[in-house]
Amino acid sequence: MDNRQAIGSWLSGPRAAMEDAGADFGYRGEQLGLPEEGPGSIARPGRRTGALVVDWTLCVLIAYGLITDGYNGQTTSNWALLVFFVLSVFTVGTVGFTPGKRLFGLRVVAVDSGRVQPVRGLVRSALLCLAVPALIFPLLLIPPPPRLARTVEVRV
């Protein structure tokens, strides 16, 4: 094996090395019966991050302008988190998207029924506000919050 191939496989990660060896992992969302690309496919991380940035910016502006009036940076951040939680619970639990998700062409759907119920929106929002997806779940190797809430974010 050429050294460049060894370095390339190391940089690509174990999944790429396994796929090169002939393993077939399928595509994201295949087990849920979702299409590989296009409308209804699982949303990519870039779109999800963009939607989160838009939603968070909107919530910070609401907290700064309407609640704290620029009183304190920490106070504004705490209020922004509360506004984000309320916005997420009400919008995802009723129509299936937040303003940022709508802007980026995303929607949250329930795995089994296709429509997110308010309780699932509450669970998803609470876990997101606690930063559970980013901090705890990858370390413990247990199912991420979307699986606990039985929801998935798809492209519209």
Side-chain angles (χ1 to χ4, degrees):
M1 176 184 286
D2 188 11
N3 285 339
R4 289 178 293 184
Q5 286 179 326
I7 291 172
S9 67
W10 177 76
L11 290 174
S12 300
R15 181 177 176 132
M18 289 296 294
E19 286 174 346
D20 288 343
D24 182 25
F25 292 106
Y27 61 88
R28 295 168 19 122
E30 183 176 19
Q31 295 176 347
L32 300 174
L34 300 174
E36 185 173 2
E37 293 181 9
S41 64
I42 290 187
R44 299 284 182 206
R47 284 183 178 219
R48 291 171 37 190
T49 302
L52 184 63
V53 167
V54 169
D55 290 336
W56 182 253
T57 303
L58 179 66
C59 293
V60 167
L61 289 174
I62 290 170
Y64 181 81
L66 298 178
I67 300 172
T68 64
D69 196 27
Y71 174 69
N72 183 347
Q74 183 63 38
T75 305
T76 302
S77 295
N78 291 339
W79 278 105
L81 184 63
L82 180 65
V83 170
F84 179 79
F85 175 74
V86 171
L87 174 81
S88 183
V89 167
F90 285 124
T91 58
V92 170
T94 56
V95 294
F97 52 82
T98 61
K101 286 179 183 23
R102 183 67 177 160
L103 184 67
F104 279 83
L106 303 176
R107 185 178 185 92
V108 177
V109 296
V111 173
D112 49 2
S113 66
R115 181 174 165 92
V116 179
Q117 297 153 350
V119 174
R120 289 185 182 182
L122 177 74
V123 170
R124 183 181 177 92
S125 301
L127 291 171
L128 182 63
C129 287
L130 292 173
V132 173
L135 302 175
I136 296 174
F137 283 93
L139 299 175
L140 298 177
L141 299 174
I142 53 181
R147 287 192 188 160
L148 293 176
R150 304 218 13 101
T151 59
V152 65
E153 206 164 337
V154 298
R155 292 174 55 192
V156 178

